[in-house]
Amino acid sequence: MPGALASGYGQVLRDYDEDTAVPDEPNDMLRAAREAAQLTQGQLAELGNAQVEAATTKPGAMDADYIGKLERGIHRWPNQHYRQALRTVLDAVADADLGFRSTRNRAATVARSPRRPDGGDDVERQAFLRVLAGSVAGLAFADPIAEFTATFTGSSTRQIGTVEVDQVRYLARLFANQDHLPGSGLSAQAVVTQLSISADALGGRFASDAVRHQFFAAVAEMADVAAGMCFDAGTHTQAERCFRLAVGCATESGDWPMRAKALSGLANLAVHQDNKDDALSFSEMALVRADRLTPLVRSVMHTRHARALGLAGGQRQDDCMTAVRHAEDFFSTASGGNEPAWISYYGAAHLDRDIGRALLHLAVNGGDYQQAQQRLSTAVARFPEQPSRGKALALANLAHLTMARDDPAHAVQLGNEALTAAGSVRSARVAEALKKLRDAGQQHSAQSGVRELQLRVNTAVRAGRA
């Protein structure tokens, strides 16, 4: 179903504007009025936003792309404040003078979810639309699974209720459980397909405003799972867009823990890409209004912040250690009773691994490596014997650190264990950790065991077994 998410974005825009699209009828009147005023699309948007702010005290969210959509007829009926602003800027007497007309079938849409009294122009919704716009563009999808298609038609003719909310949550957690053990592999595209159909229903009819918020929260969870799986599969652009969609939906639904989780996912992605500034920005955004987060969620957010601080280098070492202590403190107070279901997997092994990984950047660059080594060793011991991505990552990180700062012979032993653990895992992140181990072995390449390990890593990475 190509373009399903883009279709979903169109549905959302229709919920915030006030009408449906007529894409085959360009609005030549608006274009002509703009050109007569000698304005570019961007200039018209800026002047229009200023008029909106003057009338409502809240900034408008129009941009050149939005004006282009109006001129192409993709949107025919902007909301009241936008129409008034554009009439003022272009010196038009009536909406019709700018080609604006309502094509909405009132009988068909009377059951749509209630909008907020301000008409949908509040700052939160403007930000939400920007997040969605950055999230859905350019995604490609496979054909949807038949059972899910039967539930969500994408036409908004079926009212969405708690049954649909439960189905989206069930599928999100089904994919998340799959992801926690063997890694993403081919499952990443499957979950993005499910996400595309779920997002296509965001502009549908809801049984109540409460159900609408629940559905947005469920789609946020699905988007976060899809983002994590795309990240693990190495498709970083798609991962970032899905993370941003998760942030937008969580913000709209008021789900602060999921909002924080999705922001921390963006932080982790930035760490992986060695983008220090974005890693710090996203991890710190995840801790905004931390009082609304549960203890375990706060603990995880502090590990993400610690990792970003570790990446920043030795000048942030004290801050990194402070974030580690916060993570430990909140983990110790977590009771589990009020925690979100999606974080139920997170245990002591994950905490030790995440703290070890946060300290890894400092350790391999000359800092104290013993604490990082101890944390990663404890994590390896705490993970169950069965192969999992978590254990493979911890082993690969520990082998990398040991190769870089301690005993290369021991690092070879750990590296071989990591390769065995990675044998049943399909994860680009594990493969990247193994490549860092291989590169750290360059300083010991005179040792036959290290050379053999490097060859094994190359073979595993080329074969896609990690």
Side-chain angles (χ1 to χ4, degrees):
M1 187 175 179
L5 252 181
S7 173
Y9 177 50
Q11 291 279 6
V12 174
L13 276 178
R14 290 198 290 274
D15 198 31
Y16 291 111
D17 286 340
E18 297 181 356
D19 215 338
T20 56
V22 188
D24 57 346
E25 295 182 20
N27 188 342
D28 293 330
M29 296 179 71
L30 176 61
R31 179 184 55 77
R34 174 181 62 78
E35 291 177 348
Q38 297 184 328
L39 296 173
T40 66
Q41 292 176 340
Q43 289 169 337
L44 177 57
E46 288 182 11
L47 292 171
N49 288 337
Q51 290 293 327
V52 171
E53 186 165 10
T56 67
T57 73
K58 298 176 181 178
M62 290 184 282
D63 56 16
D65 180 65
Y66 182 78
I67 298 298
K69 286 183 171 70
L70 291 177
E71 292 184 356
R72 296 194 301 275
I74 294 175
H75 305 302
R76 280 283 178 180
W77 193 240
N79 66 49
Q80 177 184 353
H81 296 307
Y82 285 3
R83 296 198 308 274
Q84 179 180 334
L86 293 172
R87 289 198 310 268
T88 300
V89 173
L90 297 175
D91 197 24
V93 176
D95 291 330
D97 295 337
L98 296 179
F100 297 146
R101 68 176 188 274
S102 176
T103 59
R104 170 170 288 184
N105 182 333
R106 299 290 176 182
T109 59
V110 68
R112 292 184 71 86
S113 300
R115 287 191 295 273
R116 297 178 185 176
D118 61 9
D121 275 332
D122 56 284
V123 175
E124 263 191 276
R125 288 197 172 202
Q126 294 164 24
F128 172 60
L129 287 178
R130 290 192 185 102
V131 170
L132 278 181
S135 301
V136 300
L139 287 174
F141 304 102
D143 291 334
I145 297 175
E147 290 81 2
F148 206 79
T149 307
T151 303
F152 295 105
T153 64
S155 63
S156 299
T157 59
R158 174 174 177 153
Q159 181 172 274
I160 297 171
T162 56
V163 170
E164 288 75 19
V165 172
D166 290 344
Q167 287 177 334
V168 174
R169 288 201 186 280
Y170 171 79
L171 286 166
R173 290 166 192 173
L174 185 70
F175 278 108
N177 289 336
Q178 167 73 13
D179 180 50
H180 288 153
L181 291 176
S184 298
L186 296 176
S187 300
Q189 193 58 51
V191 70
V192 172
T193 299
Q194 300 294 0
L195 175 62
S196 73
I197 304 165
S198 301
D200 195 37
L202 288 173
R205 297 182 300 117
F206 295 89
S208 67
D209 200 44
V211 169
R212 179 179 179 278
H213 285 132
Q214 292 167 15
F215 190 78
F216 270 75
V219 173
E221 185 173 346
M222 175 80 80
D224 182 74
V225 171
M229 295 179 78
C230 289
F231 181 8
D232 199 49
T235 54
H236 295 164
T237 298
Q238 197 171 59
E240 181 180 352
R241 288 166 177 162
C242 291
F243 274 132
R244 290 182 183 275
L245 176 58
V247 173
C249 289
T251 299
E252 178 70 3
S253 68
D255 188 340
W256 284 81
M258 178 52 67
R259 176 184 177 275
K261 185 175 188 295
L263 284 166
S264 75
L266 285 167
N268 270 350
L269 181 60
V271 168
H272 188 82
Q273 296 171 331
D274 201 31
N275 187 333
K276 298 179 179 65
D277 288 340
D278 281 357
L280 280 171
S281 296
F282 286 128
S283 64
E284 289 169 2
M285 287 172 65
L287 285 164
V288 170
R289 291 306 308 268
D291 59 301
R292 297 190 177 188
L293 306 181
T294 58
L296 188 55
V297 173
R298 289 182 77 169
S299 174
V300 174
M301 295 309 106
H302 282 295
T303 67
R304 305 310 191 245
H305 190 208
R307 195 168 179 219
L309 289 164
L311 179 67
Q315 70 272 20
R316 302 300 302 269
Q317 180 170 333
D318 290 344
D319 295 328
C320 179
M321 298 308 301
T322 298
V324 165
R325 286 192 293 272
H326 287 323
E328 292 176 311
D329 290 345
F330 283 109
F331 186 85
S332 68
T333 63
S335 62
N338 63 339
E339 298 292 342
W342 46 258
I343 205 170
S344 61
Y345 76 95
Y346 198 89
H350 298 90
L351 178 69
D352 282 317
R353 181 203 63 191
D354 288 348
I355 290 176
R357 298 185 80 201
L359 300 175
L360 180 64
H361 294 288
L362 296 171
V364 297
N365 289 301
D368 177 17
Y369 73 90
Q370 291 181 330
Q371 187 173 171
Q373 196 173 50
Q374 182 269 324
R375 288 287 191 171
L376 290 169
S377 297
T378 302
V380 169
R382 281 178 164 169
F383 275 113
E385 287 300 318
Q386 69 185 109
S388 68
R389 183 184 59 213
K391 187 162 190 171
L393 271 174
L395 275 165
N397 291 151
L398 179 58
H400 171 203
L401 175 58
T402 305
M403 184 72 77
R405 294 296 309 278
D406 196 6
D407 178 10
H410 187 207
V412 168
Q413 177 188 341
L414 292 168
N416 284 319
E417 290 179 25
L419 283 165
T420 299
S424 58
V425 172
R426 298 295 181 268
S427 169
R429 284 189 287 168
V430 172
E432 187 64 27
L434 288 170
K435 286 190 282 187
K436 288 182 178 179
L437 163 63
R438 177 200 62 194
D439 295 344
Q442 287 298 109
Q443 61 182 318
H444 306 294
S445 57
Q447 298 185 27
S448 60
V450 173
R451 291 197 304 272
E452 290 172 6
L453 176 64
Q454 290 175 316
L455 289 173
R456 284 196 67 195
V457 169
N458 288 335
T459 300
V461 170
R462 281 198 301 268
R465 295 202 303 270

